[in-house]
Amino acid sequence: MTKNYPHIATPPPGPKAQGIIARDRASTATCYLKEYPLAVARGSGAMIEDVDGNRYLDFMAGIAVASTGHSHPTVVAAVQEAASQFLHICGGDFYYESFAALPERLAKLAPGREPKKVFLSNSGTEAVEGAIKLARHSTRRAAIIAFEGSFHGRSLGALSLTASKYTQRSGMGPFLPEVYHAPYGDADFIESRLFARRLDPKDVAAIFVEPIQGEGGYIVPPAGFLKSLRAICDKHGILLIFDEVITGFGRLGHWFGSERYDIRPDIVTSAKGLSSSYAALGAVIATDKVMEPFMGATSMFSHGITFGGHPVMCAIALKNIEIMKRERILEHVRENEDAFRTTLAQLLDLPIVGDLRGTGFFWAIELVKDKDTRETFSDEECEKLLRGYLSTALWDAGMICRADDRGDPVIQISPPLVAGQAEFDEITGILGEVLTGAVELMR
Ligand code: PMP
């Protein structure tokens, strides 16, 4: 079949989208900022079609989620089959096969050979909440170290760790006590500043870290950083928690990013690509040593969520794992990441592109005011560039991706993991044209 996208027939929002947008604006909460007036009708592979017949190349994948592409027919069939058997019974109270099978699979896929146990949640945020509770309960310590620029979710516990943009925290405090933030990439800060002056390491339950910071701007840490964290944790009996909600499930070419960096975390959180977007599912995967009460803890770890590990979601995640293996998706990412980087690197010729950073199928194009000095844009200039221009220009050209300034202004690129050279060329072409327009605009 010939590819029929990107294709913009009616500049969005078309008449049907306008109707949906008006109803949405009238009754949904004011917290939804919305990226663009796209009202989705359907998706297939790396294509999204809106209600007015415009078709987009999706290089955002629902914020790094739709790994196996939109509406993979095998997954759709799994949804139908699971839904026709039973819709809900609560895995916290009763047994069903998929609720046993998924943890069994995840425990084996997670890095390290030691036995593990898995808690299933409805989202990444809930996985992080579960991990915070588990770490405190397991160690009987209160303090948690997280990093500047991190994103771990927006419930109050998770938000206490999140530090990627102050607006996400504004007006929401007070936050969880005993949360300390260190600069991302600087493990020495923990020993030489935090532990030397403010914090007894014996009070620290866990260090929470993203192997690559996602929402904070796709920041790749310096070599050795993650290993140093492992060493600090081992030295002081602290749990190392990798938040792999965004980096897991193939985004970095492995089931978990920690595998890529050869680190064994004590706890891993997962969501997003775990179900490849077909349902809300998250997981906390912890070594038996952590899950079983230890370090003096005697009471049982008590936690539960009505819908966590819903039968349809478990069926989807199991099918997703099967597809990823059958279609060799991890291998596809590893085999194509260099080509992806090399293709995108053509954009480095543009005066506005300061850097290209990332790994696997997880890339950010950093936009700078001055390439030589790496001077970044002021807040007003960012407003003009990102919200005034890029947030619509890219999409008007038929490409779904995100321009953001949580850290430095960047264009975030996280396609479905099935994308290949044709798509890399296509988006690089679109980005080239749109960014050339940005150079003109910001002159
Ligand atoms: N942790 C990380 C690293 C994330 O990127 C996100 C979402 N972007 C979350 C947690 C929260 O996940 P969710 O939106 O599924 O609750």
Side-chain angles (χ1 to χ4, degrees):
M1 203 174 81
T2 49
K3 191 164 133 318
N4 59 3
Y5 63 94
H7 170 75
I8 305 298
T10 316
K16 288 188 184 154
Q18 282 178 32
I20 293 172
I21 290 166
R23 284 168 58 203
D24 179 296
R25 282 303 182 203
S27 50
T28 63
T30 50
C31 59
Y32 301 117
L33 294 175
K34 309 282 188 186
E35 302 268 339
Y36 183 80
L38 167 75
V40 178
R42 61 184 198 93
S44 170
M47 187 279 295
I48 286 280
E49 184 173 318
D50 79 4
V51 286
D52 296 291
N54 297 312
R55 290 185 290 274
Y56 297 84
L57 176 61
D58 182 10
F59 260 53
M60 182 169 157
I63 318 190
V65 174
S67 317
T68 52
H70 294 285
S71 295
H72 195 295
T74 313
V75 177
V76 174
V79 174
Q80 287 163 341
E81 195 194 328
S84 70
Q85 285 164 358
F86 64 97
L87 273 174
H88 180 62
I89 187 74
C90 191
D93 289 336
F94 305 104
Y95 298 89
Y96 42 90
E97 198 199 343
S98 58
F99 195 90
L102 182 59
E104 202 172 70
R105 296 304 301 272
L106 291 177
K108 291 216 172 79
L109 294 178
R113 293 187 169 204
E114 56 277 66
K116 297 179 191 68
K117 298 226 176 346
V118 178
F119 173 82
L120 297 173
S121 67
N122 297 301
S123 66
T125 302
E126 283 183 353
V128 169
E129 287 294 332
I132 295 172
K133 285 177 67 180
L134 177 60
R136 282 190 162 177
H137 186 274
S138 176
T139 60
R140 297 290 150 146
R141 299 174 176 186
I144 289 170
I145 297 174
F147 293 93
E148 286 163 11
S150 64
F151 189 90
H152 297 287
R154 302 206 204 199
S155 59
L156 271 174
L159 187 60
S160 304
L161 310 187
T162 291
S164 61
K165 198 165 192 178
Y166 72 89
T167 50
Q168 293 165 343
R169 296 166 62 98
S170 175
M172 307 293 181
F175 297 102
L176 216 57
E178 291 303 309
V179 174
Y180 297 82
H181 286 95
Y184 188 65
D186 187 356
D188 185 52
F189 180 93
I190 295 173
E191 289 276 15
S192 68
R193 301 281 293 282
L194 278 183
F195 291 170
R197 294 175 185 277
R198 299 173 59 192
L199 182 60
D200 183 345
K202 287 201 271 323
D203 291 334
V204 181
I207 298 182
F208 266 79
V209 68
E210 295 165 84
I212 292 185
Q213 280 190 340
E215 300 268 334
Y218 288 35
I219 311 287
V220 182
F225 169 64
L226 299 170
K227 283 222 155 92
S228 303
L229 295 184
R230 180 69 274 177
I232 292 172
C233 287
D234 289 344
K235 182 169 159 200
H236 300 290
I238 296 168
L239 299 176
L240 180 62
I241 304 184
F242 268 35
D243 183 349
E244 297 243 25
V245 165
I246 206 163
T247 50
F249 267 78
R251 189 61 42 202
L252 307 185
H254 295 267
W255 291 112
F256 295 97
S258 36
E259 216 179 316
R260 181 166 190 133
Y261 299 106
D262 196 24
I263 316 271
R264 307 272 172 275
D266 301 293
I267 301 178
V268 177
T269 56
S270 178
K272 292 194 186 256
L274 168 61
S275 67
S276 191
S277 82
Y278 299 95
L281 183 66
V284 182
I285 308 167
T287 57
D288 272 10
K289 208 170 139 211
V290 175
M291 272 286 178
E292 307 293 346
F294 87 119
M295 292 183 180
T298 46
S299 61
M300 201 186 105
F301 174 55
S302 171
H303 192 47
I305 304 173
T306 304
F307 286 119
H310 186 274
V312 178
M313 299 171 195
C314 287
I316 291 166
L318 286 163
K319 197 52 83 179
N320 189 44
I321 294 170
E322 196 183 303
I323 295 170
M324 287 182 71
K325 287 192 166 199
R326 194 177 60 227
E327 298 185 4
R328 299 182 68 254
I329 286 184
L330 301 179
E331 291 83 349
H332 174 78
V333 172
R334 291 202 297 269
E335 285 159 16
N336 285 276
E337 66 173 68
D338 280 348
F340 195 9
R341 194 193 58 75
T342 313
T343 312
L344 287 172
Q346 295 167 32
L347 299 167
L348 286 166
D349 291 341
L350 289 164
I352 199 170
V353 176
D355 194 14
L356 171 65
R357 55 181 185 239
T359 302
F361 274 23
F362 197 52
W363 292 96
I365 295 166
E366 185 189 330
L367 304 176
V368 287
K369 186 168 175 177
D370 186 314
K371 205 169 173 128
D372 297 325
T373 61
R374 296 290 288 276
E375 184 190 348
T376 190
F377 291 104
S378 66
D379 286 353
E380 296 74 44
E381 286 166 333
C382 270
E383 195 61 33
K384 180 174 165 189
L385 174 65
L386 297 180
R387 262 119 0 233
Y389 175 68
L390 282 178
S391 60
T392 49
L394 287 166
W395 298 61
D396 287 349
M399 172 177 168
I400 299 182
C401 75
R402 208 171 183 207
D404 199 17
D405 60 344
R406 252 159 250 217
D408 306 320
V410 291
I411 297 176
Q412 301 176 355
I413 299 176
S414 54
L417 304 181
V418 289
Q421 188 61 50
E423 285 86 9
F424 306 156
D425 288 336
E426 192 149 26
I427 64 132
T428 306
I430 295 174
L431 282 165
E433 277 172 33
V434 171
L435 288 175
T436 304
V439 174
E440 290 301 313
L441 178 79
M442 302 310 286
R443 240 186 243 287

